[in-house]
């Protein structure tokens, strides 16, 4: 069907950008937060209003300006972009509430700066989700890199400075050193950068060049944290927890894997990857990351670092799903964007709530915390279920599709990887939950009295935990969108 | 009226400089408004000229009605119409920002300063507009001599640096003149198009080759093409801020234009690329310039001095892009003349603000700047992102064309040098941002809502407005790259490169 020309995608991107001057100029913290909520809500509603159109199978397009011959700054809303934008924009609302509880609970400095750059980062995220071509994607990808730097280094101390350096080195170093030349070479080969269902790279190009390009893209989008370019993510955990939660479990890292999905599906195309056996190569890189990251997670003592390594592993599930090149695998990967987002953000919220309420960061200090913060730890349990992939956690569904996808692709070793990794996930999450609740009164670090974090912290994490559960029973919006996206790629054979 | 634009462009500021000089004796207050009016009208004329060229093609002008090759002949085509607009815009915007510095640092020299300033811009405009090789030399000297004087207005080692510049700049100009002399000996003409018409039968002549070599060395010396850059860092560092932010964006860029003009119009592309086959060598020289400029910048602990080495690296971008000899490389080089002028202006204006408030631009004066000078630092960030090459700032797009040119020309050394320089720029600028953002440690804590701490101490509005005009210009020019390339630069690409 004809794409629909519309300004809505542009407005959805600009809403949070436009609110920045207001945030800077508001003198009263409550007014400032009200504006943040307003922007977040408006952004979500605009994106939601485009959902019916997308579900009908139509795309919305907004072309701004042609910057290079054949390359325009253009936004396009398709099913995959919609899926990601829905996740990111809905979670921004919840994270804004959580940010208030967290930042005020800890009496953090420079909160205006914090909320401004958060809004900027969200603009960039939605922009990346709605990018119609590689140039636009790169633009928003870079914008996101620089917008998150002040968030990562929020504490402005020596450790933040070190982590900030690492962050820039990995993220910007790879995007300039690998993605930029790969993008120019792609343009040189094909004269366009526009994503298309079959990919735009010419089949006549030399296979070696195409292989090199693919890996330049794969590692160049280091936000996807594929080993060995993962080290920035644990380092970035020095950021305030809401930043780790929304950006380093949802927005930033998902922009990385989302970019890789676009590269696999929109730049190369599934047929080309299959004919050159490049899909399998990518799948094994991802499988390696999944297993190694899970093993490293087992050894972590600090809660947020453990979650970071868990994220690294889970991100590669998405890459793996797409690299299987089978319809079910693609669906699993796409749905996992949503499922992992809700599960992991819950876990981060919980880690932050524990820190706000007790000041504890290390796992061995959290023995018996279930008695003190029952709501938080129950939510943690639900989030962990979803990540491990046990029903009724939403994550079960995406893993189900991934397993089916591996079967469809006849990749038995990869199937094994998915299953082993689930066991490893259980091995690092279940002990935490167990030791939070089931300890004798001698071992526990906490008195029996219930004392939760502020309501602005607890309500969001309870909500995301509930959504994680609900997604198991009502996954339709995301499942339908993934289905549509896969259909568009495979020309109607996605059932 | 419109047909006199090429002449008006140069004559308006030339006449104005006499009035400014007089006003400096009689009514010093009038100097600034006069200069502003002169450069403002030049800017309008240059934009009108650009419009004329876009709609009607190149414009020719015979001074005093004398036909070439005897009279002075001005010719404005797609290439120099763009450069003229850039020179006027940079000169105008920087003039606005210069006023507070002049009033603070050398109020008693306001008259000479504005006179020299306007004369300098006049010289540059003439160099760009003229179609006569000797006339170009005269205007080159006008720009150079006023430039020496402007730089010598600075404090401390400025006079010595200026002297160094005088020696090397004079050698450069002499080489240029010598090259033109050789051409005159062998062709008997000084008009560029006339020389180009007479040269082809003489391509095999040693004289032409020597003329080309001498002329190029002279031009490279004047533009600070590594390793002929020795005069540049000190001259630009010790010059007063408003002078640095005038000379650094314009002088090197105009010399790059002169190089392109000499190759395109005088010696012709056929001679430079097919007869001499110098392109491979020069691109490698550019690679060295880019790499060395970037590395030398890393060694500096003064923002302004670091920027001067970035200028050296950027000269390599343009020279290399042009000598790649293909359409994308040419487009990138010409686009970079525009973009780099704006980026350099933005960065030097921001540093000018820091110097205005803090007294100098060494690293010791940077801590806490994001808190005390948020607007200046914000613009510095935009300028830095443009140098790094982050879209949608304009720096990305010229880098894109240069990279594309390197790939199309199969010149992977140039490709790697460009990427290397971008990565080094990230390090260069984030070192500055880190100092401004993190240091002094602990100063930012303790207040929940960003109040308290050192108060904002910004540069005056008269400096912030031009700075932000430039910063926003970087983004706008970036977004309208398609228009600029499609309407102007594409028509300037010589046929052989298509």
């Amino acid at each position: 069907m004809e794409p629909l020309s519309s300004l809505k995608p542009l407005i959805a991107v600009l809403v949070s950008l436009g609110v920045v001057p207001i945030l800077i100029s508001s003198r009263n913290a409550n007014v400032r937060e009200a504006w943040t909520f307003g922007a977040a809500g408006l952004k979500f509603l605009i994106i939601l209003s485009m959902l019916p159109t997308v579900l009908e199978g139509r795309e919305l397009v907004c072309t701004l300006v042609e910057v290079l011959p054949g390359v325009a700054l253009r936004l396009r809303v398709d099913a995959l972009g919609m899926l990601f934008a829905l996740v990111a924009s809905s979670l921004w609302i919840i994270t804004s509430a959580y940010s208030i509880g967290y930042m005020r609970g800890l009496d953090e400095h420079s909160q205006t700066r914090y909320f401004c750059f958060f809004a900027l980062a969200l603009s960039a995220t939605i922009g990346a989700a709605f990018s119609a071509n590689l140039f636009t994607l790169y633009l928003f990808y870079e914008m996101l890199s620089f917008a998150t730097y002040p968030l990562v280094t929020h504490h402005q101390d020596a450790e933040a400075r070190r982590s900030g350096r690492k962050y820039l080195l990995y993220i910007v170093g790879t995007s300039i050193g690998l993605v930029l030349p790969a993008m120019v070479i792609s343009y040189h080969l094909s004269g366009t950068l526009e994503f298309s269902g079959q990919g735009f790279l010419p089949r006549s190009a030399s296979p070696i060049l195409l292989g090199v390009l693919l890996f330049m893209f794969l590692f160049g989008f280091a936000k996807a944290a594929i080993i060995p370019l993962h080290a920035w993510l644990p380092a970035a955990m020095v950021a305030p927890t809401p930043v780790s939660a929304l950006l380093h479990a949802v927005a930033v890292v998902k922009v990385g894997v989302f970019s890789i999905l676009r590269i696999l599906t929109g730049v190369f195309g599934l047929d080309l990857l299959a004919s050159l056996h490049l899909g399998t190569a990518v799948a094994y890189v991802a499988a390696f990351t999944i297993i190694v990251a899970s093993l490293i997670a087992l050894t972590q003592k600090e809660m947020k670092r453990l979650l970071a390594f868990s994220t690294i592993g889970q991100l590669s599930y998405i890459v793996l799903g797409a690299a299987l090149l089978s319809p079910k695998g693609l669906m699993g990967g796409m749905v996992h964007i949503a499922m992992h987002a809700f599960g992991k953000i819950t876990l981060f919220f919980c880690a932050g709530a524990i820190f706000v309420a007790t000041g504890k960061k290390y796992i061995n200090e959290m023995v018996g915390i279930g008695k003190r913060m029952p709501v938080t730890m129950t939510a943690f349990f639900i989030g962990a279920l979803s990540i491990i992939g046990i029903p009724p956690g939403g994550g079960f569904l995406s893993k189900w599709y991934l397993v089916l996808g591996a079967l469809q692709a006849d990749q038995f070793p990869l199937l094994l990887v998915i299953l082993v990794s689930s066991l490893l996930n259980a091995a690092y999450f279940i002990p935490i939950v167990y030791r939070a609740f089931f300890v004798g009164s001698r071992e526990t670090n906490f008195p029996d009295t219930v004392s939760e974090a502020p309501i602005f912290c607890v309500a969001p994490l309870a909500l995301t935990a509930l959504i994680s559960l609900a997604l198991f029973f009502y996954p339709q919006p995301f499942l339908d969108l993934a289905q549509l996206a896969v259909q568009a790629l495979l020309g109607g054979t996605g059932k | 009226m419109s047909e006199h634009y090429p002449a008006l462009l140069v004559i308006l500021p030339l006449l104005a400089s006499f009035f400014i000089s007089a006003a400096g004796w009689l009514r010093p207050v009038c100097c600034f408004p006069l200069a502003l009016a002169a450069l403002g009208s030049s800017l309008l004329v240059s934009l009108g000229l650009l419009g004329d060229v876009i709609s009607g093609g190149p414009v020719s002008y015979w001074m005093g009605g004398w036909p070439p090759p005897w009279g002075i002949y001005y010719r404005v085509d797609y290439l120099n119409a763009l450069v003229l607009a850039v020179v006027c815009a940079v000169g105008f915007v920087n003039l606005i920002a210069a006023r507070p510095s002049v009033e603070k640092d050398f109020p008693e020299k306001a008259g000479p300063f504005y006179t020299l300033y306007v004369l300098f811009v006049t010289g540059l405009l003439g160099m760009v507009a003229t179609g006569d090789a000797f006339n170009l030399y005269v205007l080159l000297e006008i720009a150079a001599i006023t430039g020496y004087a402007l730089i010598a207005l600075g404090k401390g080692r400025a006079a010595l640096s200026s002297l160094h510049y005088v020696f090397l700049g004079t050698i450069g100009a002499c080489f240029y003149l010598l090259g033109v002399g050789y051409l005159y000996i062998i062709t008997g003409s000084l008009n560029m198009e006339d020389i180009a018409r007479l040269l082809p039968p003489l391509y095999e002549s040693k004289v032409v080759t020597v003329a080309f070599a001498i002329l190029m060395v002279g031009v490279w010396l004047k533009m600070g093409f590594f390793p002929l850059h020795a005069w540049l860092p000190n001259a630009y560092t010790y010059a007063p801020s408003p002078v640095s932010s005038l000379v650094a964006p314009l002088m090197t860029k105009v010399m790059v234009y002169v190089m392109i003009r000499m190759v395109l119009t005088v010696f012709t592309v056929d001679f430079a690329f097919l007869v001499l086959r110098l392109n491979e060598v020069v691109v490698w020289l550019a690679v060295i310039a880019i790499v060395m400029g970037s590395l030398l910048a890393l060694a500096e602990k003064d923002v302004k001095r670091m920027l001067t080495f970035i200028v050296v690296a950027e000269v390599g971008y343009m020279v290399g892009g042009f000598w790649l000899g293909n359409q994308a490389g040419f487009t990138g080089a010409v686009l970079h003349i525009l973009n780099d002028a704006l980026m350099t202006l933005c960065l030097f204006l921001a540093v000018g603000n820091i110097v205005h408030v803090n007294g100098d631009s060494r690293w010791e004066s940077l801590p806490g700047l994001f808190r005390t000078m948020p607007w200046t630092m914000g613009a510095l960030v935009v300028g830095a992102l443009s140098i790094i090459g982050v879209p949608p700032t304009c720096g990305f797009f010229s880098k894109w064309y240069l990279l594309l040119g390197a790939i199309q020309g199969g010149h992977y050394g140039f490709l790697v040098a460009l990427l290397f320089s971008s990565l080094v720029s990230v390090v260069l600028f984030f070192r500055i941002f880190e100092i401004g953002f993190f240091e002094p440690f602990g100063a930012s804590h303790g207040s929940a809502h960003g109040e308290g701490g050192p108060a904002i101490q910004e540069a005056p509005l008269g400096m912030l407005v031009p700075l932000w005009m430039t910063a926003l210009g970087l983004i706008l020019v970036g977004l309208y790259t398609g228009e600029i390339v499609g309407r102007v630069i594409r028509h300037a690409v010589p046929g052989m490169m298509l």
Side-chain angles (χ1 to χ4, degrees):
Chain A
M1 264 187 277
E2 272 291 290
L4 195 66
S5 185
S6 163
L7 276 178
K8 275 186 190 170
L10 181 66
I11 300 170
V13 171
L14 292 184
V15 158
S16 38
L17 207 63
V19 84
V20 167
I22 306 176
L23 294 184
I24 293 174
S25 56
S26 33
R27 286 273 150 254
N28 180 317
N30 289 332
V31 174
R32 183 187 66 201
E33 262 78 297
W35 277 104
T36 301
F37 273 118
L42 189 59
K43 183 170 215 139
F44 180 65
L45 286 180
I46 295 169
I47 291 172
L48 205 61
S49 74
M50 291 186 281
L51 182 62
T53 321
V54 175
L55 283 175
E56 280 169 26
R58 297 191 70 178
E59 292 176 344
L60 291 99
V61 175
C62 177
T63 304
L64 293 172
V65 56
E66 179 155 329
V67 285
L68 303 163
V71 181
L73 187 56
R74 179 177 296 137
L75 300 170
R76 203 184 67 217
V77 187
D78 63 356
L80 178 57
M82 190 66 193
L83 187 157
F84 181 38
L86 267 185
V87 173
S89 63
S90 60
L91 284 176
W92 187 30
I93 306 178
I94 303 175
T95 310
S96 300
Y98 183 80
S99 291
I100 296 172
Y102 184 90
M103 300 301 275
R104 292 191 185 176
L106 292 176
D107 199 22
E108 284 280 355
H109 71 286
S110 305
Q111 291 191 17
T112 303
R113 182 184 76 210
Y114 169 88
F115 281 105
C116 286
F117 281 100
F118 224 117
L120 265 178
L122 254 292
S123 264
T125 308
I126 303 301
F130 290 163
S131 294
N133 53 43
L134 198 50
F135 163 74
T136 315
L137 181 67
Y138 183 80
L139 188 156
F140 286 112
Y141 182 93
E142 289 286 49
M143 180 175 159
L144 185 58
S145 310
F146 291 107
T148 42
Y149 177 78
L151 295 173
V152 170
T153 57
H154 184 83
H155 292 307
Q156 288 177 265
D157 52 16
E159 196 195 351
R161 182 180 183 155
R162 254 196 321 278
S163 299
R165 268 185 203 175
K166 201 167 200 176
Y167 184 77
L168 278 183
L169 176 76
Y170 277 80
I171 303 278
V172 179
T174 51
S175 71
I176 292 178
L178 294 172
V179 176
L180 181 58
M183 197 159 71
V184 182
I185 295 171
S186 306
Y187 181 75
H188 174 59
L189 288 175
S190 53
T192 179
L193 291 174
E194 205 75 14
F195 298 132
S196 79
Q198 285 73 45
F200 64 71
L201 287 177
R203 269 130 196 78
S204 49
S206 98
I208 297 172
L209 180 62
L210 288 175
V212 171
L213 270 184
L214 179 63
F215 280 90
M216 280 169 89
F217 281 124
L218 186 67
F219 290 112
F221 288 114
K223 286 188 181 133
I226 289 176
I227 290 175
L229 295 171
H230 65 289
W232 64 271
L233 186 56
M237 291 299 140
V238 295
T241 305
V243 174
S244 310
L246 184 59
L247 297 179
H248 299 131
V250 182
V252 170
V253 290
K254 293 285 159 59
V255 164
V257 283
F258 181 82
S259 305
I260 292 177
L261 285 190
R262 286 288 195 212
I263 295 296
L264 295 176
T265 59
V267 175
F268 282 81
L270 302 180
D271 298 338
L272 184 62
L273 290 173
S275 67
L276 296 174
H277 304 290
L278 286 171
T280 319
V282 174
Y284 277 91
V285 172
F288 177 78
T289 303
I290 293 174
I291 296 294
V292 173
S294 302
L295 287 174
I296 299 175
L298 277 174
T299 66
Q300 295 302 312
K301 297 186 177 63
E302 196 183 328
M303 180 66 111
K304 278 176 77 180
R305 282 182 70 87
L306 179 143
L307 293 178
F309 278 103
S310 165
T311 303
I312 295 170
Q314 298 291 320
L315 291 172
S316 279
Y317 273 79
I318 301 167
V319 178
L320 174 68
L324 286 170
L325 306 179
S326 62
K328 296 284 187 220
L330 278 166
M331 252 189 94
M334 290 171 185
V335 174
H336 201 59
I337 291 181
M339 298 303 177
H340 172 253
F342 286 97
K344 191 50 72 59
I345 204 169
T346 309
L347 295 176
F348 270 109
F349 281 171
C350 293
I354 294 170
F355 183 67
V356 170
T358 67
K360 305 279 190 244
K361 291 198 286 188
Y362 292 91
I363 293 162
N364 58 5
E365 300 170 333
M366 294 178 189
V367 177
I369 197 163
K371 303 246 170 69
R372 165 136 185 225
M373 307 177 71
V375 180
T376 304
M377 286 316 287
T378 311
F380 188 91
F381 178 57
I382 296 171
L385 280 187
S386 184
I387 300 294
I388 301 166
I390 304 175
F396 170 75
L397 288 175
S398 46
K399 292 217 173 160
W400 175 256
Y401 278 106
L402 285 172
V403 168
L404 287 181
L407 287 173
Q408 247 180 1
D410 253 346
Q411 292 281 5
F412 186 71
L414 296 176
L415 173 70
L416 211 61
V417 166
I418 297 172
L419 297 178
V420 169
S421 158
S422 291
L423 288 178
L424 290 173
N425 297 346
Y428 57 71
F429 278 135
I430 297 300
I432 300 174
V433 179
Y434 179 82
R435 279 154 61 79
F437 286 104
F438 304 103
V439 283
S441 49
R442 270 191 304 112
E443 295 171 72
T444 181
N445 289 340
F446 299 94
D448 262 357
T449 47
V450 170
S451 158
E452 288 276 0
I455 181 73
F456 268 115
C457 284
V458 179
L461 65 89
L463 187 59
T464 51
L466 286 178
I467 296 175
S468 268
L469 282 182
L471 282 178
F472 177 75
F473 299 103
Y474 303 104
Q476 276 77 13
F478 298 122
L479 221 52
D480 291 350
L481 284 171
Q483 185 90 45
L484 271 173
V486 173
Q487 271 172 13
L489 290 174
L490 299 174
T493 55
K495 290 284 174 193
Chain B
M1 182 69 180
S2 159
E3 71 272 11
H4 291 295
Y5 276 168
L8 278 177
L9 195 60
V10 180
I11 287 170
L12 272 177
L14 187 67
L15 286 180
S17 65
F18 291 111
F19 287 111
I20 297 167
S21 180
W25 293 98
L26 304 170
R27 300 287 298 268
V29 206
C30 299
C31 291
F32 177 75
L34 274 173
L36 198 67
L39 293 186
S41 43
S42 279
L43 177 61
L44 290 180
V45 170
S46 76
L47 291 177
L49 202 51
L50 183 62
D52 285 356
V53 171
I54 288 174
S55 56
V59 179
S60 300
Y61 190 83
W62 302 348
M63 285 284 174
W66 291 88
W70 296 280
I72 294 174
Y73 169 70
Y74 276 22
R75 182 172 168 79
V76 181
D77 60 10
Y78 290 96
L79 178 59
N80 52 1
L82 184 69
V83 181
L84 286 172
V86 174
V87 172
C88 288
V90 171
F92 181 72
V93 171
N94 184 56
L95 183 69
I96 304 173
R99 192 181 188 185
S101 295
V102 174
E103 280 173 3
K104 178 169 174 248
D105 295 335
F106 37 81
E108 73 286 358
K109 292 180 192 154
F113 172 82
Y114 289 119
T115 310
L116 290 169
Y117 188 110
V118 174
L119 264 179
F120 177 79
V121 177
T122 310
L124 295 182
L125 288 174
M127 281 164 78
V128 178
T130 189
D132 184 288
F134 182 76
N135 189 237
L136 198 155
Y137 167 76
V138 174
L139 291 153
L140 172 76
E141 285 293 21
I142 293 182
I145 290 167
T146 50
Y148 307 141
L150 281 170
I151 288 169
L153 280 172
K155 298 192 195 81
R157 291 172 59 188
L160 194 63
S161 312
S162 178
L163 190 66
H164 190 191
Y165 184 20
V166 170
F167 290 151
L168 288 176
T170 308
I171 295 174
C174 285
F175 270 49
Y176 174 85
L177 186 61
L178 211 56
V180 173
Y182 272 54
L183 285 177
Y184 184 67
I185 291 170
I186 197 158
T187 63
S189 180
L190 289 170
N191 180 285
M192 292 185 189
E193 287 164 14
D194 203 33
I195 298 175
R197 195 170 47 78
L198 297 168
L199 268 186
L202 305 166
Y203 279 163
E204 298 304 319
S205 158
K206 288 278 183 293
V207 180
V208 179
T209 311
V210 170
F212 183 80
I214 294 178
L215 205 146
M216 276 298 136
V217 172
V219 173
W220 286 341
L221 186 58
K222 292 291 283 184
M223 74 169 79
F225 184 46
F226 186 92
L228 305 173
H229 70 289
W231 56 271
L232 189 149
N234 278 340
Y236 289 3
T237 307
Y238 296 110
S241 314
V243 174
S244 309
S245 51
L246 173 72
V247 180
L250 291 184
M251 194 68 196
T252 52
K253 259 52 77 180
V254 167
M255 289 319 292
V256 171
Y257 161 80
V258 170
M259 174 188 78
I260 296 177
R261 173 62 69 204
M262 283 295 145
V263 173
L264 286 195
T265 309
V266 179
F267 290 95
T268 70
V269 179
D270 288 344
F271 176 72
F273 287 89
L274 299 178
V275 179
L276 289 184
R277 299 183 177 281
L278 273 175
N279 37 340
E280 186 75 17
V281 180
V282 181
V283 177
W284 278 110
L285 287 176
V287 168
I288 296 171
I290 294 171
V291 172
M292 289 309 293
S294 304
L295 288 179
L296 290 170
L298 269 177
E300 297 303 332
K301 291 190 188 313
D302 177 327
V303 185
K304 202 170 170 188
R305 213 173 148 73
M306 181 194 93
L307 290 181
T308 62
F309 283 103
I310 291 181
V311 170
V312 173
E314 303 278 329
V315 167
Y317 279 38
M318 289 173 275
V319 175
F322 172 71
W323 283 92
L324 281 172
N326 56 36
Q327 189 188 0
F330 181 88
T331 309
V334 176
L335 190 58
H336 207 65
I337 292 181
L338 161 68
N339 292 350
D340 194 45
L342 296 181
M343 294 179 325
T344 317
L345 175 67
C346 180
L347 293 171
F348 272 93
L349 282 180
V351 173
N353 285 5
I354 295 174
V355 174
H356 188 76
V357 173
N358 278 356
D360 75 61
S361 60
R362 281 173 304 157
W363 284 13
E364 289 78 27
S365 65
L366 296 176
L369 274 191
F370 273 101
R371 193 157 279 270
T372 55
M373 303 180 68
W375 292 101
T376 299
M377 291 305 275
L380 187 66
V381 170
V382 177
L385 291 181
S386 190
I387 292 271
I388 294 168
V390 178
T393 55
C394 58
F396 172 81
F397 295 97
S398 38
K399 198 164 279 175
W400 173 275
Y401 276 108
L402 292 170
L403 288 169
L404 190 64
I407 290 173
Q408 283 177 355
H411 206 296
Y412 294 97
F414 191 57
L415 176 85
V416 172
L418 288 172
L419 295 174
F420 173 78
S421 145
S422 305
L423 291 173
V424 171
S425 308
V426 177
V427 177
L428 289 173
F429 284 105
F430 271 85
R431 281 197 308 188
I432 296 169
F433 298 155
E434 277 188 352
I435 298 173
F437 185 64
F438 294 101
E439 294 176 10
F441 285 121
S444 48
H445 291 273
S447 109
H449 303 298
E451 283 109 23
I456 289 183
Q457 272 191 312
E458 261 295 4
L461 209 58
M463 299 176 86
L464 284 178
V465 172
L467 175 62
W468 269 95
M469 274 163 65
T470 318
L472 294 178
L474 292 180
I475 295 171
L476 279 180
V477 168
L479 287 176
Y480 286 96
T481 301
E483 292 285 310
I484 296 167
V485 171
R487 284 177 187 269
V488 184
I489 299 178
R490 195 162 51 91
H491 301 288
V493 182
M496 195 206 87
M497 293 184 183
L498 285 173

